[in-house]
Amino acid sequence: MASAAQQPARTVIENCAVATVDARDTEYASGHVVVAGQVIESVGEGKAPEGLENVVRRVDGTGHLVTPGLVNTHHHFYQWLTRGLATDHNLFDWLVALYPTWARIDEPMVHAAAQGSLAMMARGGVTTAMDHHYVFPRGTGDLSGAVVRAARETGVRFTLARGSMDRGESDGGLPPDFAVESLEGALTATEETVAAHHDASFGSMTQVAVAPCSPFSVSTDLMRHGAELARRLGVRLHTHGSETVEEEKFCHELFGMGPTDYFESTGWLGEDVWMAHCVHMNDADIAAFARTGTGVAHCPSSNARLAAGIARVPDMLAAGIPVGLGVDGTASNESGELHTELRNALLVNRLGPHREAALTARQALRLGTHGGARVLGREAEIGSLEPGKLADLVLWRMDTLAHASIADPVAALVLGAAAPVTLSLVGGVAVVEDGRLLTVDEDAVARSTRAEARRLARLAAGES
């Protein structure tokens, strides 16, 4: 038997409600979770087992609910600096209004914006985040490195979707020409980013996906070669798809087919692909996604903010499509939080044809945890509380005024006010305690994001 010194450090959480989000949706009214090193050792009913060695911390979870950590599947961190602008626009008008400002970002801005985005998510229960960064103005520094550095500082698990655009206004796209890359430059820079930052090992803190931005900002050559590059490198693929009726019209006019058929023609459907939004999907589109295992990042708040519509999430789930939740960029979801998307996903989808049968509270929680893990290709590691999985978990306080009278803790978490986070672990390491980040100074981040947002606004206005 191993000596106490050889035993992994253990954290014991007990006396709390437990929602495992495993395949059977196992729950315990009063249960425990034991963490050993970076993984979950045991989950069960009642107190933790007796005689555990090298217990470095015991947490009394009375009045709490423990769940898997939330998994964000779509975001644009740099937009933290342009929140509250173009508040009454549809997607295309919103992009045209903001692209000239975004084209002036630089490395200090991107790092500050990433810190703000990550801090807001982490303190609200996100343990795995992603960023789809696709704006790379020339001569502005190492933008991908700045985002990865911010994620490392915050302590969350992270996927960088290295985006790109090569279809500027002169080629019929939406972004200004000075905001796009060349085909060769985008592919080379993407491959270099994968080489520098992607880690495919168990427990990896950083992974990279190949992520041309969208059909209306990317050439067909970049879509095709991007898919080939991702599969040669063994990484996942991400892009925007079927977000608005304007995009549907654009694809028919430019390619002679709808977005899903266009994606399939360029190699962009498959188990290694996930798309953001997917609001305007017909039955044939849903069947194609289901047949190929293509995933979806559902962003209900952003879809509503930009009047994009209601995605057919109940139909996607019924077809077996992997679906997770996304914050989306904070220029179209100013809250910047994922736990609010649990509630909004349920409520918005009940406005659709399925009405009260659209989603349950537990389905919403699954979207934000196991669903997101599946979309990112990491369901073997995260997304549920099971022995052997990474100890990415959140202890939510449910005994305050906001939730104490709701008997069902999962319903309280999803339908109630934002629940305070008493403890958030990423790989067994505490990132949040009592609602405050342990890894970065929130006040300092607020100051730096405010300063960089003002600097960006001055540059966009032509001031020095």
Side-chain angles (χ1 to χ4, degrees):
M1 178 180 292
S3 67
Q6 295 171 315
Q7 291 286 329
R10 288 184 169 87
T11 297
V12 175
I13 304 170
E14 52 193 353
N15 304 321
C16 54
V18 181
T20 67
V21 200
D22 64 9
R24 298 174 301 281
D25 273 329
T26 306
E27 296 181 15
Y28 304 103
S30 181
H32 70 272
V33 179
V34 177
V35 173
Q38 71 168 340
V39 300
I40 297 169
E41 185 173 63
S42 67
V43 184
E45 193 169 11
K47 296 273 193 180
E50 296 290 337
L52 294 172
E53 296 183 343
N54 205 20
V55 175
V56 297
R57 184 174 187 185
R58 284 189 178 272
V59 179
D60 181 1
T62 301
H64 288 73
L65 167 69
V66 64
T67 72
L70 301 183
V71 179
N72 182 31
T73 62
H74 186 65
H75 210 311
H76 308 294
F77 291 173
Y78 72 90
Q79 292 181 14
W80 189 265
L81 304 184
T82 56
R83 294 193 295 169
L85 303 179
T87 56
D88 303 306
H89 292 52
N90 66 28
L91 175 66
F92 277 21
D93 292 343
W94 176 83
L95 288 170
V96 170
L98 292 176
Y99 270 140
T101 298
W102 294 339
R104 288 163 173 79
I105 59 174
D106 59 22
E107 185 173 342
M109 291 179 193
V110 168
H111 179 257
Q115 278 196 320
S117 298
L118 288 157
M120 198 69 190
M121 284 187 290
R123 69 196 294 273
V126 169
T127 55
T128 297
M130 72 81 68
D131 181 36
H132 185 190
H133 189 93
Y134 54 84
V135 181
F136 292 91
R138 297 176 186 85
T140 54
D142 182 7
L143 305 190
S144 293
V147 176
V148 171
R149 187 168 77 251
R152 187 182 306 117
E153 292 162 351
T154 309
V156 301
R157 216 170 294 285
F158 181 57
T159 294
L160 172 64
R162 203 291 179 182
S164 52
M165 300 187 295
D166 71 336
R167 186 192 294 277
E169 286 179 307
S170 62
D171 293 322
L174 287 183
D177 288 345
F178 61 83
V180 302
E181 299 175 278
S182 68
L183 170 65
E184 295 77 12
L187 291 169
T188 298
T190 300
E191 183 163 7
E192 290 172 349
T193 301
V194 173
H197 300 294
H198 182 68
D199 176 5
S201 66
F202 180 85
S204 163
M205 292 298 289
T206 307
Q207 297 194 346
V208 179
V210 174
C213 182
S214 63
F216 48 82
S217 60
V218 170
S219 69
T220 298
D221 282 343
L222 182 51
M223 293 297 291
R224 287 197 176 115
H225 291 310
E228 293 166 359
L229 174 65
R231 289 175 177 130
R232 175 167 62 81
L233 299 178
V235 299
R236 297 181 75 76
L237 301 85
H238 180 59
T239 191
H240 296 88
S242 300
E243 186 173 358
T244 66
V245 292
E246 291 84 6
E247 178 189 335
E248 178 91 15
K249 180 181 178 182
F250 181 95
C251 287
H252 276 286
E253 289 178 350
L254 200 63
F255 311 123
M257 64 187 86
T260 299
D261 290 336
Y262 174 68
F263 288 134
E264 187 153 32
S265 75
T266 56
W268 272 80
L269 295 185
E271 293 181 351
D272 53 356
V273 180
W274 84 103
M275 306 271 184
H277 302 294
C278 298
V279 175
H280 297 277
M281 301 267 284
N282 59 33
D283 290 347
D285 297 330
I286 288 176
F289 272 52
R291 170 174 49 82
T292 57
T294 305
V296 171
H298 176 45
C299 307
S301 293
S302 177
N303 294 344
R305 162 78 152 77
L306 296 173
I310 301 173
R312 296 174 59 186
V313 173
D315 297 328
M316 295 177 190
L317 294 176
I321 294 173
V323 182
L325 293 180
V327 171
D328 203 8
T330 49
S332 63
N333 180 4
E334 277 77 0
S335 77
E337 297 179 299
L338 191 69
H339 63 280
T340 55
E341 301 307 288
L342 302 176
R343 185 173 193 263
N344 289 343
L346 186 153
L347 297 182
V348 167
N349 280 281
R350 287 190 179 184
L351 295 174
H354 295 277
R355 301 181 61 186
E356 69 276 6
L359 289 177
T360 68
R362 281 160 178 79
Q363 284 177 307
L365 177 59
R366 177 171 288 277
L367 290 176
T369 54
H370 187 271
R374 189 179 171 202
V375 162
L376 296 182
R378 304 198 69 172
E379 68 270 28
E381 300 173 90
I382 59 174
S384 60
L385 302 180
E386 300 180 74
K389 284 197 170 185
L390 294 166
D392 292 9
L393 57 85
V394 179
L395 189 65
W396 310 88
R397 187 173 178 186
M398 311 304 295
D399 62 357
T400 67
L401 174 64
H403 304 93
S405 62
I406 306 176
D408 178 351
V410 174
L413 177 68
V414 173
L415 291 172
V421 173
T422 292
L423 180 66
S424 178
L425 302 181
V426 179
V429 177
V431 173
V432 178
E433 287 199 30
D434 297 323
R436 295 288 293 183
L437 282 162
L438 302 178
T439 50
V440 296
D441 183 335
E442 293 180 30
D443 296 331
V445 171
R447 288 192 297 271
S448 68
T449 56
R450 181 169 57 247
E452 293 297 342
R454 290 174 176 172
R455 185 165 70 89
L456 177 59
R458 289 195 300 270
L459 288 175
E463 302 172 16
S464 58

